[in-house]
């Protein structure tokens, strides 16, 4: 089912989302990947304040190519989410409400999605040019020294994603693959 | 003897870095189109349509097909009659990568040290493989490699007794573990034989073969490609891992002689953005 969603994602919105829903997101989200997550976790371990407000936030696991003149951002498809699994449960427990990336997550992350009534979306990996066009603004929030890995705030319009893990415990990567697995006797 | 100024290598590599990241080869485009026509899952069809639309936008608006514009892998086949002038060939190659990635607005994804991890900010150094061949030409093949799929690649040191069944199991394991992480539909490069590093190199080279290439390989390799492609597409993983009948676009096998005691198998997985281009100077 196709759904248009205005960010931020709330508990009510999360409860209304189910695996396999195609969603078009409009609003603001953060962009962060490996090195930024490492820094955020170090700050948390030291009990320091974070440079981002996690309450109700959506994070997009992405590192863009540089923007050409007149454009907000370059190619901007998702990176593999599992590399952020070490940080995701902590960030979800601190208020993060949605993640956009690609690929499987650990049971610990999926449990945290359910526990916090959050949602894990996939954007289509390798569709960086198409996704770039749905990003209307981009600014660096912090960690500019990390280059493509800096934390950004972006504004998206009708950004296409699919719900791959919902707060009801659904996991599309498990269920869809089973549905289309050719049985041994149909070879 | 033929003299070639290394500046020619630099400018060829610069231009190749930019074009290969904005426009896929025709065999890959055709394979994606065919996949969309045969995909059984509605969600899978939707994903494949997005990927085709993405290719059109990338080319028309000069936005890289994928934000991971890769680590530059360069194969340089040098005719033995060639004499390079004007500087060191390795530096000329890296200068081409530097110019291509900086001036072409491509992402700089390389860190100078695997543990300290400071970005080199110009995507150098490239990974370079040289070979000396007869003649007086130079063939450059550039294949920037994204790491979503590179991370899911595997090497297996099998026992000879495991034979072709062992090779199949190795491919099955790598593809199944890769799942949605490798951005399917993928291209599966398989290297069979040689030594530890030779198998990996064969697998990488196999990714630069055109989809469906069936020449210059043994009959068992052709049969293996067909059988494994069919089996992988029956795995259910599907486009973007969201379920469907298109998990791989091609399985490309290369093989080499090996030792009486061994059967190395490398599986190098590439996403649907399988970028490679060649130029002969």
């Amino acid at each position: 089912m196709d759904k248009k969603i205005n960010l931020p994602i709330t508990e009510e919105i999360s409860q209304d989302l189910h695996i396999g829903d195609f969603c078009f997101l409009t609003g603001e989200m953060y962009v962060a990947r490996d090195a930024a997550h490492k820094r955020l976790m170090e700050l948390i371990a030291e009990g320091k304040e974070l440079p981002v407000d996690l309450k109700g936030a959506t994070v997009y696991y992405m590192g863009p190519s540089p923007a050409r003149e007149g454009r907000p951002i370059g190619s901007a498809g998702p990176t593999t989410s599992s590399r952020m699994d070490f940080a995701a449960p902590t960030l979800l427990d601190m208020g993060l409400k949605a993640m956009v990336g690609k690929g499987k997550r650990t049971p610990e992350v999926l449990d945290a999605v359910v526990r916090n009534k959050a949602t894990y979306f996939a954007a289509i990996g390798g569709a960086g040019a198409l996704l770039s066009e749905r990003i209307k603004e981009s600014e660096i929030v912090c960690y500019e020294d990390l280059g493509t890995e800096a934390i950004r705030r972006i504004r998206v319009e009708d950004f296409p994603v699919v719900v791959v893990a919902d707060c009801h415990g659904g996991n599309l990567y498990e269920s869809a693959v089973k549905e289309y697995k050719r049985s041994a006797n149909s070879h | 003897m033929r003299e070639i100024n290394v500046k020619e290598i630099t400018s060829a590599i610069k231009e190749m870095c930019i074009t290969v990241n904005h426009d896929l080869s025709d065999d890959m485009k055709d394979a994606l189109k065919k996949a969309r026509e045969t995909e059984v899952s509605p969600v899978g069809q939707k994903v494949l349509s997005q990927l085709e639309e993405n290719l059109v936008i990338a080319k028309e608006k000069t936005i890289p097909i994928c934000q991971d514009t890769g680590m530059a892998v360069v194969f340089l086949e040098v005719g033995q009659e060639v004499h390079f002038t004007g500087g060191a060939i390795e530096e000329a190659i890296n200068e081409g990568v530097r110019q291509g990635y900086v001036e072409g607005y491509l992402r700089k994804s390389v860190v100078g040290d695997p543990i300290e991890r400071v970005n080199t900010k110009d995507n150098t150094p490239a990974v370079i493989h040289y070979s000396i061949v007869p003649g007086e030409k130079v063939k450059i093949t550039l294949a920037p490699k994204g790491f979503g799929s590179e991370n899911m690649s595997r090497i297996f040191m099998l026992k000879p007794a495991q034979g072709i069944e062992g090779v199949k199991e190795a491919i099955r394991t790598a593809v199944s573990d890769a799942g949605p992480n490798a951005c399917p539909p993928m291209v599966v490069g398989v290297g069979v034989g040689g030594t530890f590093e030779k198998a990996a190199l064969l697998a990488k080279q196999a990714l630069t073969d055109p989809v469906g290439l069936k020449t210059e390989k043994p009959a068992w390799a052709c049969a293996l490609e067909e059988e494994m492609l069919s089996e992988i597409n029956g795995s259910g993983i599907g486009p973007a891992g969201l379920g469907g009948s298109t998990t791989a676009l091609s399985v490309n096998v290369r093989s080499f002689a090996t030792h009486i005691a061994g059967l190395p198998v490398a599986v190098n997985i590439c996403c649907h953005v399988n970028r490679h281009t060649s130029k002969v100077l």
Side-chain angles (χ1 to χ4, degrees):
Chain A
M1 198 174 126
D2 285 8
K3 292 179 176 172
K4 280 188 176 268
I5 291 174
N6 287 315
L7 299 173
I9 302 271
T10 60
E11 281 193 17
E12 291 68 37
I13 293 174
S14 266
Q15 279 172 323
D16 200 32
L17 292 174
H18 295 87
I19 55 167
D21 287 347
F22 272 79
C23 300
F24 294 90
L25 308 180
T26 297
E28 284 191 351
M29 51 188 178
Y30 288 117
V31 172
R33 53 172 292 160
D34 309 57
H37 276 80
K38 185 164 177 261
R39 287 194 185 173
L40 291 179
M41 292 305 282
E42 284 164 3
L43 289 178
I44 292 168
E46 292 163 10
K48 291 185 179 154
E49 200 183 327
L50 298 185
V52 291
D53 181 9
L54 289 176
K55 287 270 173 270
T58 295
V59 65
Y60 182 23
Y61 301 137
M62 191 270 286
S65 67
R68 283 184 181 266
E69 220 168 290
R71 291 194 187 136
I73 206 158
S75 191
T79 195
T80 306
S81 307
S82 62
R83 294 194 316 273
M84 272 56 77
D85 283 353
F86 75 99
T90 304
L91 300 181
L92 286 163
D93 288 342
M94 290 175 71
L96 182 69
K97 265 287 167 282
M99 302 165 287
V100 180
K102 66 168 167 99
K104 293 179 184 174
R105 311 304 299 265
T106 57
E108 290 72 23
V109 176
L110 299 175
D111 287 349
V113 165
V114 173
R115 176 168 75 236
N116 292 290
K117 296 189 175 59
T119 304
Y120 171 43
F121 299 98
I124 303 307
L130 183 147
L131 293 167
S132 170
E133 298 237 287
R134 309 295 173 92
I135 298 172
K136 303 302 175 184
E137 289 169 25
S138 167
E139 59 166 345
I140 290 177
V141 177
C142 57
Y143 307 150
E144 193 161 7
D145 61 299
L146 294 178
T148 185
E149 295 202 71
I151 295 185
R152 292 161 194 272
R153 186 184 294 110
I154 58 172
R155 188 174 62 79
V156 297
E157 273 177 30
D158 289 329
F159 192 83
V161 293
V162 187
V163 177
V164 284
D166 60 31
C167 69
H168 315 288
N171 179 351
L172 186 64
Y173 289 130
E174 298 286 329
S175 50
V177 169
K178 274 188 199 130
E179 189 182 341
Y180 286 97
K181 191 172 171 63
R182 205 193 294 148
S183 59
N185 53 12
S186 71
H187 268 276
Chain B
M1 193 179 73
R2 177 184 172 209
E3 290 200 343
I4 296 180
N5 191 303
V6 295
K7 283 202 177 79
E8 281 189 61
I9 305 282
T10 297
S11 71
I13 288 193
K14 173 191 173 182
E15 182 243 316
M16 290 163 86
C17 286
I18 296 172
T19 53
V20 80
N21 272 299
H22 292 90
D23 194 14
L24 273 193
S25 55
D26 287 339
D27 61 313
M28 284 299 300
K29 283 186 202 160
D30 290 346
L32 270 174
K33 180 165 176 280
K34 202 175 128 212
R36 178 175 46 79
E37 288 163 1
T38 57
E39 173 56 52
V40 298
S41 145
V43 170
Q45 287 169 10
K46 223 164 167 169
V47 171
L48 292 168
S49 299
Q50 275 197 22
L51 296 182
E52 285 197 281
E53 192 188 341
N54 184 60
L55 291 180
V56 173
I57 295 171
K59 192 174 178 183
E60 281 181 358
K61 304 203 168 172
T62 328
I63 305 172
I65 302 164
C66 177
Q67 75 290 338
D68 185 353
T69 49
M71 185 165 194
V73 178
V74 176
F75 294 96
L76 202 73
E77 290 171 51
V78 183
Q80 64 187 36
E81 308 302 328
V82 171
H83 176 225
F84 288 119
T85 61
I89 187 68
E90 187 172 318
E91 178 43 35
I93 292 170
N94 281 323
E95 183 58 26
V97 169
R98 184 175 293 124
Q99 291 178 11
Y101 276 74
V102 172
E103 294 173 35
Y105 293 86
L106 304 176
R107 197 178 78 179
K108 289 76 180 173
S109 311
V110 173
V111 292
D113 179 284
I115 300 302
E116 290 166 1
R117 307 197 75 82
V118 178
N119 198 300
T120 61
K121 295 195 163 66
D122 59 10
N123 221 52
T124 67
V127 173
I128 308 169
H129 303 285
Y130 300 97
S131 54
I132 308 287
V133 297
E136 53 173 32
K137 293 196 163 78
V138 173
K139 184 179 179 189
I140 309 167
T141 299
L142 172 75
K145 190 64 172 68
F147 259 54
S149 55
E150 193 74 354
N151 280 339
M152 307 315 289
S153 301
R154 298 279 301 272
I155 193 150
F156 304 81
M157 300 305 283
L158 303 182
K159 297 178 177 70
Q162 289 176 275
I164 192 77
E165 286 308 317
V167 177
K168 289 178 192 171
E169 191 55 30
I171 299 171
R172 237 173 247 140
T173 302
V175 169
S176 160
D177 288 353
N181 293 17
C183 287
M186 42 187 125
V187 176
V188 184
V190 183
V192 183
T195 46
F196 184 79
E197 86 288 2
K198 178 70 176 176
L201 187 58
L202 289 168
K204 177 74 75 196
Q205 287 170 319
L207 289 176
T208 68
D209 290 337
V211 172
L213 178 80
K214 289 285 177 258
T215 52
E216 296 167 28
K217 57 181 85 172
W220 64 262
C222 296
L224 179 68
E225 290 176 346
E226 296 289 330
E227 184 185 340
M228 291 316 293
L229 183 60
S230 168
E231 188 182 316
I232 291 166
N233 284 333
S235 67
I237 295 169
L242 302 179
S245 59
T246 314
T247 301
L249 298 171
S250 185
V251 176
N252 299 349
V253 177
R254 282 199 186 197
S255 62
F256 192 77
T258 191
H259 188 279
I260 49 173
L263 175 51
V265 180
V267 184
N268 196 187
I269 293 179
C270 192
C271 59
H272 53 85
V273 190
N274 182 20
R275 294 158 289 202
H276 53 86
T277 182
S278 293
K279 186 169 185 174
V280 178
L281 296 179

